[in-house]
């Protein structure tokens, strides 16, 4: 029955599940985890005198640690 509390709860649970799934794949994975992998590769392979290294190094100290927390929780 579409008006029953159980049906409404099931719809809300499905909506929440899809939203969380979309946020993880659409935002967290693409904007945080992939970026952190790129930053780690850049910082591990480029010399400290490289302009790209110098550009990314200050922010990388914060974003890599933040992304690690996202990944572990």
């Amino acid at each position: 029955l579409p008006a029953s509390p159980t049906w409404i709860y099931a719809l809300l649970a499905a909506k929440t599940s899809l939203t969380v799934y979309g946020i993880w794949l659409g935002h967290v994975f693409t904007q945080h985890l992939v970026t952190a992998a790129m930053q780690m590769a850049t910082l591990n392979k480029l010399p400290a005198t490289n302009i790209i290294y110098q550009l990314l190094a200050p922010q990388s100290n914060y974003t890599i640690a933040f992304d690690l927390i996202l990944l572990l929780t």
Side-chain angles (χ1 to χ4, degrees):
L1 186 64
S4 73
T6 305
W7 178 250
I8 293 171
Y9 180 79
L11 288 175
L12 287 173
K15 178 185 171 192
T16 301
S17 179
L18 289 171
T19 301
V20 169
Y21 184 73
I23 288 171
W24 262 98
L25 286 182
H27 175 76
V28 174
F29 181 75
T30 59
Q31 301 298 317
H32 293 279
L33 301 181
V34 173
T35 306
M38 183 267 316
Q39 285 180 339
M40 286 296 288
T42 301
L43 296 178
N44 287 335
K45 297 295 180 185
L46 293 177
T49 56
N50 187 292
I51 189 70
I52 295 174
Y53 182 96
Q54 293 172 359
L55 181 70
L56 292 177
Q59 295 87 349
S60 297
N61 293 333
Y62 301 105
T63 57
I64 291 170
F66 177 72
D67 292 341
L68 184 59
I69 291 169
L70 281 177
L71 190 60
L72 294 175
T73 57

